[in-house]
Amino acid sequence: MPRVFNFAAGPAILPEAVLRRAAAEITDYNGTGMSVMEMSHRSKEYIAVFEGAEQKLRTAMAVPDNYKVLFLQGGATLQFSAVPMNLLARKGRADYAVTGYFAKKAFKCAQMYGNVRTAADTGNYYAIPAQRELSPDPDASYFHYCHNNTVYGTRWPYLPETGGVPLVCDMSSSILSEPVDVSKFGVIYAGAQKNMGPAGLTVVIVRDDLLDSPALPGTPELLTYKAQAENGSMINTPATYGVYLLGLVLDWLGEAGGVAAMEGINRKKAALVYDAVGSSPVFRCKVEERSRSIMNVVFSSDSDETDARFLKEAASRGMVTLKGHRATGGIRASMYNAMPLEGAQKLVELIGEFK
Ligand SMILES: Cc1ncc(COP(=O)(O)O)c(C=O)c1O
């Protein structure tokens, strides 16, 4: 079976070159006679893999020295708890911009830990609120938002201004897809399974001074940023193979020109599909233009039947996992870094032909 164009939202497509390299190294990594999967996480060979992946991530994202990079588990969803557990007690309250499915989940989860409020919720998840629609609390512990809303297909087109309150950002579906100025953030977190590697690894980038925030009583050691930072993310066994694959993905990304080059290609792929949808008599995109994601392009026709027919036709041409999330229905084309331009072009061809 040839490789398909996998438009899944996550777990998602990985670069073929990365998969081939992992396959070549699967039984004998670097002359050790064993797979990375079989290695002690405390072995010299594995520590080199782990530290190498961190260094590559620091380089790719230009992470400043006063930030720790943590390789954790539990997905972005566990960070919905870890963030308030680590940071809420600083000032006793926090702000959440509720702009979509996961942003709302993060807010609902944080409510269990104390005083949090919505600093923005327009109720319309097909648009990102403008700065003037935000009401940031200058005394909040942090301002949480989700940079790219995977389900509705929106992306914050600007950095929220919070008057010095640390930004905490869920970048699960946009990390490494475009350059970001890490120094503007208190915490960035992301599940790996879209732009970084396989599911099971969660990356947290946290500014040093925030490590001294008092964690809420009862916060487990594994969820405490400071404890993880002090133990090099190895209080217990980390997601060893996931970190290795992240390293391979970052090698591939570096060879492809880094995050800035990715942004150019990602914008091109997204523009092609948005344009095709825009000129289609069948489909439309409900997302306001300035808020459109360059990772997840969400569109639909007026009928579920037509959408289903489109999905079937797409699958017959080797384009799979295009079904929209159950919250929105319709079609969602997730085009992470590893999706080649050719995938977007093939999709555009079908949208153009579809009557
Ligand atoms: C923006 C965003 N946040 C959080 C999550 C949840 O991630 P996880 O399954 O890693 O907990 C997802 C998953 O799709 C996501 O897209």
Side-chain angles (χ1 to χ4, degrees):
M1 175 84 183
R3 295 268 298 161
V4 291
F5 290 111
N6 179 6
F7 289 89
I13 187 168
L14 285 168
E16 188 172 340
V18 165
L19 297 176
R20 293 204 182 281
R21 185 165 158 202
E25 296 177 344
I26 193 110
T27 56
D28 174 17
Y29 173 74
N30 205 17
T32 56
M34 65 171 89
S35 170
V36 171
M37 257 182 271
E38 301 170 298
M39 273 178 197
S40 162
H41 58 293
R42 310 224 183 258
S43 64
K44 185 167 69 55
E45 290 81 6
Y46 186 72
I47 296 287
V49 169
F50 200 79
E51 290 179 353
E54 176 181 341
Q55 207 41 58
K56 289 173 210 170
L57 186 63
R58 284 185 173 277
T59 304
M61 293 183 69
V63 178
D65 289 344
N66 63 324
Y67 283 74
K68 295 285 181 293
V69 173
L70 308 178
F71 290 146
L72 308 180
Q73 300 186 57
T77 305
L78 197 55
Q79 293 306 310
F80 297 169
S81 292
V83 166
M85 284 179 138
N86 282 279
L87 303 180
L88 189 53
R90 291 177 70 243
K91 303 272 180 113
R93 44 195 225 252
D95 276 353
Y96 278 72
V98 179
T99 55
Y101 186 85
F102 289 106
K104 190 169 190 169
K105 279 196 170 209
F107 171 63
K108 292 267 174 214
C109 182
Q111 280 182 312
M112 292 194 290
Y113 298 98
N115 187 5
V116 298
R117 50 161 223 141
T118 49
D121 185 356
T122 58
N124 168 17
Y125 295 156
Y126 290 105
I128 295 298
Q131 175 70 44
R132 67 186 141 71
E133 293 176 274
L134 310 181
S135 55
D137 170 359
D139 266 330
S141 300
Y142 60 89
F143 179 101
H144 180 280
Y145 77 110
C146 177
H147 177 245
N148 184 79
N149 294 282
T150 325
V151 171
Y152 291 87
T154 62
R155 167 187 170 275
W156 283 70
Y158 67 98
L159 202 67
E161 179 48 63
T162 59
V165 170
L167 287 174
V168 174
C169 187
D170 177 356
M171 282 195 196
S172 292
S173 50
S174 56
I175 196 161
L176 297 175
S177 69
E178 58 179 294
V180 291
D181 181 353
V182 176
S183 73
K184 296 280 197 286
F185 295 85
V187 175
I188 291 170
Y189 66 88
Q193 65 272 21
K194 298 156 200 301
N195 260 335
M196 293 191 288
L201 167 66
T202 312
V203 171
V204 177
I205 302 172
V206 52
R207 206 174 65 209
D208 282 346
D209 60 292
L210 295 176
L211 296 174
D212 291 326
S213 317
L216 294 180
T219 301
E221 193 185 14
L222 287 184
L223 291 184
T224 308
Y225 293 152
K226 188 174 182 143
Q228 287 287 9
E230 284 173 353
N231 288 279
S233 307
M234 286 209 193
I235 295 172
N236 68 336
T237 318
T240 54
Y241 199 70
V243 173
Y244 156 73
L245 278 177
L246 168 62
L248 298 194
V249 167
L250 288 165
D251 285 344
W252 170 85
L253 186 114
E255 281 160 23
V259 172
M262 284 299 135
E263 180 182 18
I265 303 166
N266 290 330
R267 286 194 179 279
K268 193 165 172 188
K269 290 183 289 188
L272 280 173
V273 179
Y274 284 121
D275 285 353
V277 169
S279 39
S280 160
V282 183
F283 296 112
R284 71 201 164 96
C285 170
K286 292 186 209 162
V287 180
E288 178 206 55
E289 219 163 309
R290 64 182 264 286
S291 306
R292 288 183 175 175
S293 169
I294 58 170
M295 292 280 95
N296 316 96
V297 179
V298 173
F299 59 99
S300 57
S301 71
D302 289 335
S303 110
D304 292 347
E305 220 173 41
T306 306
D307 291 345
R309 200 157 53 77
F310 180 83
L311 293 172
K312 203 166 158 203
E313 180 57 30
S316 78
R317 299 184 187 197
M319 293 178 281
V320 302
T321 348
L322 277 159
K323 194 170 180 350
H325 189 270
R326 58 190 181 280
T328 57
I331 294 148
R332 171 173 54 176
S334 297
M335 296 183 289
Y336 299 114
N337 290 347
M339 173 60 68
L341 182 62
E342 195 193 340
Q345 286 164 337
K346 261 192 98 136
L347 183 63
V348 161
E349 209 175 277
L350 175 58
I351 295 170
E353 282 172 28
F354 200 75
K355 298 283 181 308

